[in-house]
Structure formats: C-alpha cells, structure tokens
Amino acid sequence: MKLFVTGGAGYVGSHCVRELCNAGHTVVVYDNLINGGHKEAVDTRAELVVGDLADDTLLERTLASGAFDAVLHYAALLDVNESVHEPLKYYQNNIANTVSLLALMRKNDIKKMVFSSTCATYGVPLSVPITEDMPQHPINPYGRTKLAIEWALRDSADAWGLGSTALRYFNASGAASDGTLGEDRDPEYHLIPLVLQVALGQREQIKIFGVDYPTPDGSCVRDYIHVEDLGSVHRMAIESQEEAVFRYYNVGTGVGVSVKELIVAAREISGKDILASPDVRREGDPPELYADPTKAMTELGWQPKYTDIRKTIETAWHWHSTHPNGYASV
Ligand code: UDP
C-alpha cells in the first residue's frame, strides 16, 4: 500500500514506519520535527516531508500528489498534565488539525485511516481490565481531544465512506530490539525514560506521583505496551482496513504494573540505585488502567511479544544507556 504517515518521525510513529517498510509498504512521513520528532528516526526507505499539520497548503499539496491508499495519523500532543493547563493548544492541535486532515482525505478520496487513540478516553474506568464496551468519560483535555476524533471517524464512516480504526494505546514503552530507535523528547515527562535518566545520573531522583491511591501498593497502575508491538498492530489494522467501517481496539499487554514495581524492575536491570521519593498526585491521573486486549487479538490476529515489564525496560535501558543524549548521541 502507499501510506501517508503523520508523526512518523516521533517515538511510536518511527517504530511503526519501520514495521510498515519491512512489510513492503511505500511510506511518506509528514512530521514537523517538533515535540519528539527526529529526522534520524525516520527509516531510510521512507520519504520525509517536514511540515506542520496546520500548514494546509503543504498538507494538501503532499496529499494530492501522492495517490495514497491510506493514512496513519500519529501526530498529536500527548502530555496529560500540559493539556490540563493549556487545553486550547490541545484542542487546536489534536482536534482542529485532524479535522483539516480528514477534510483533505475526503477531497482526495483517501478512505482508510488508522488513528492513535488512547486509554485516556475511558477516564476512570468502572473496573479493570478495560474492555472496549466500557463507557468513555475522559477526565482530562488530552483524553477529550482523542475521543472527539473517534466521534469524527465514526460519523465519517456513514457520511462519506471513511474506513478507520482507533487504536486505544495504553502506555507506549520500550525501544527497538536492535537498539537503534527509542524515546527522545525534551522535556521528557514519561515514567520509564525519567526513571532511566536517574539511573544514568542525568536526574537526581524520580518522584512518585501519588502513593495513596486505592491500588495494592498505593502508586498508580498502568499497562506498558512495547512500541514494536504497537508497530505490528498498526500494520495489521491498516492491512485489514475496509472502507465505511469504524473499528476500535484496546492496545495493551493486559498486565498492570505499578509505578513502584516499575522502579524496582529498573533498578534490577540497570544495576543502579535510582533514588525515588513519594510526591503529591498529578492532576488528571486515573489510579489504575490496564487493558483487556482480547478484541484486537481475536479480530486482528495480533499478539504482543512483550508482556513482561522487565523485557520492555531492558530494551529501553539498551537505548538510553547507548544514547544518553537521544538521537543527538549518534
Ligand atoms: N509518574 C510518576 N512520576 C513521574 C512521571 C510519571 O510517578 O515523574 C507516574 C504517573 O503519575 C502515571 C505513570 O507514572 O501514573 C505513567 O505516567 P506517564 O506520564 O509515563 O504516562 P501516562 O499514564 O500519563 O500516559
């Protein structure tokens, strides 16, 4: 297939682009190289167009000239905490820019899309593991912007024949198994890279945001899904996508890991002390989120390879310890 990939230079996007190129697809990456995008992360077999989704002229020119079969849409802002304080930035980037993209897809008769959604659309779930039929009541602006796009995709299926899949990611984690791609964001705000920065001596300590949650050890529980497993599920979704349907899947391992457990695992793998201290809760954080990924496994035939947090952290540690300054280390 000929694929247009927004955000393909970012953390999740770059691992997916590699998977798509390995499968023989022709890939054009569209990325503004801000917010975690790096040109070094783009597979050499893919074409990179440096551009912003807000640049309608360049976006239209690129889409119109490409004869694309489908779009994979990763480009978005994803800092939950920032979204609470700067909601309009999130509504502009994640909703307005995506609606422009959809309008241009319609104009250019591109009727297949895979969309990076999030478990944050569920808010505080009624129970865990989370299944797709549970109500979506996001508790922060980030989750609300992603849910709004799910609605736009659902409405577009009937109205103009768009076929799309919303992949509701849990916590994207880890790095390429060969150590050549990984997480590189400035400022960093995700737990695993921050913990490993402490192990590398780049940060003094890790703060545990909340130790009084109603969870077994009081810290938040999350489902850390490896980026290469995200790569395979995106490939399977786009290859099986039909027009005029809207599908949605939880993409997680099915295993919940607490912040405290993760820090213990990182100490074992890195062999470093990793100073950690309890801190106040972070706004907008649900206590416990982990997936029931059965639907994606059954309907797409997907199987995550990484279900042990230690194996995931090992790949992240390989990346961070060999690239202490991210892609700038190369
Ligand atoms: N977290 C933490 N300390 C940090 C960063 C994150 O305790 O310095 C916690 C955060 O409250 C959440 C979990 O780690 O419960 C994962 O956070 P992250 O930002 O990586 O992903 P999110 O779940 O927000 O998408």
Side-chain angles (χ1 to χ4, degrees):
M1 297 173 90
K2 182 149 187 204
L3 303 173
F4 183 77
V5 180
T6 73
Y11 172 47
V12 176
S14 60
H15 288 80
C16 292
V17 165
R18 177 181 283 186
E19 165 91 17
L20 296 167
C21 290
N22 285 345
H25 297 293
T26 302
V27 175
V28 174
V29 168
Y30 189 89
D31 199 300
N32 61 9
L33 303 180
I34 307 171
N35 299 311
H38 300 273
K39 61 180 185 320
E40 300 86 348
V42 178
D43 194 289
T44 51
R45 293 165 291 183
E47 182 189 338
L48 170 64
V49 176
V50 178
D52 201 290
L53 277 181
D55 183 348
D56 281 345
T57 313
L58 180 62
L59 185 61
E60 171 147 33
R61 199 182 327 130
T62 314
L63 270 183
S65 63
F68 292 102
D69 298 303
V71 172
L72 293 102
H73 180 37
Y74 301 89
L77 298 177
L78 52 144
D79 181 345
V80 169
N81 190 44
E82 185 188 43
S83 81
V84 172
H85 300 288
E86 294 287 344
L88 296 186
K89 191 172 159 186
Y90 279 69
Y91 281 80
Q92 180 64 45
N93 271 275
N94 294 359
I95 300 185
N97 289 354
T98 302
V99 171
S100 302
L101 173 65
L102 287 168
L104 288 174
M105 286 174 63
R106 182 181 189 183
K107 192 170 166 188
N108 288 282
D109 202 32
I110 304 169
K111 290 191 175 160
K112 292 181 180 178
M113 176 186 249
V114 173
F115 171 62
S116 302
S117 188
T118 169
C119 62
T121 58
Y122 293 107
V124 181
L126 297 174
S127 60
V128 280
I130 301 172
T131 51
E132 287 85 349
D133 54 3
M134 286 185 183
Q136 288 175 293
H137 295 303
I139 61 166
N140 53 56
Y142 167 65
R144 283 189 271 276
T145 63
K146 290 289 183 172
L147 180 56
I149 296 303
E150 286 202 16
W151 290 338
L153 299 180
R154 195 184 291 265
D155 290 337
S156 293
D158 293 336
W160 56 277
L162 177 70
S164 66
T165 302
L167 295 176
R168 296 175 186 159
Y169 310 171
F170 284 66
N171 290 56
S173 308
S177 47
D178 69 357
T180 57
L181 297 175
E183 207 160 2
D184 179 3
R185 202 178 283 106
D186 188 19
E188 185 52 73
Y189 46 85
H190 282 137
L191 182 63
I192 294 179
L194 289 176
V195 166
L196 297 181
Q197 283 178 2
V198 181
L200 285 169
Q202 296 175 334
R203 195 175 283 271
E204 201 179 318
Q205 60 166 333
I206 185 77
K207 293 178 175 172
I208 304 174
F209 294 150
V211 289
D212 57 352
Y213 281 105
T215 58
D217 66 16
S219 64
C220 281
V221 170
R222 294 288 181 273
D223 182 338
Y224 295 89
I225 179 75
H226 196 276
V227 267
E228 288 188 335
D229 287 325
L230 288 176
S232 60
V233 76
H234 281 81
R235 179 181 56 71
M236 289 169 174
I238 202 64
E239 287 176 348
S240 63
Q241 185 68 57
E242 289 174 3
E243 291 182 9
V245 288
F246 173 65
R247 307 182 295 179
Y248 44 96
Y249 299 105
N250 287 343
V251 186
T253 63
V255 180
V257 176
S258 77
V259 175
K260 288 183 181 176
E261 287 171 331
L262 192 149
I263 294 169
V264 169
R267 284 185 185 131
E268 276 171 29
I269 288 151
S270 65
K272 309 284 182 186
D273 283 345
I274 309 183
L275 184 61
S277 61
D279 209 318
V280 293
R281 293 181 180 196
R282 188 175 68 175
E283 248 179 292
D285 256 349
E288 194 168 22
L289 298 172
Y290 61 93
D292 178 342
T294 309
K295 190 171 176 240
M297 290 171 164
T298 313
E299 292 186 15
L300 297 175
W302 174 67
Q303 186 68 48
K305 287 193 290 184
Y306 290 85
T307 50
D308 176 352
I309 189 66
R310 281 170 186 74
K311 299 280 175 217
T312 299
I313 295 176
E314 271 171 23
T315 63
W317 177 240
H318 182 197
W319 161 258
H320 288 287
S321 55
T322 55
H323 298 76
N325 298 310
Y327 288 98
S329 314
V330 182

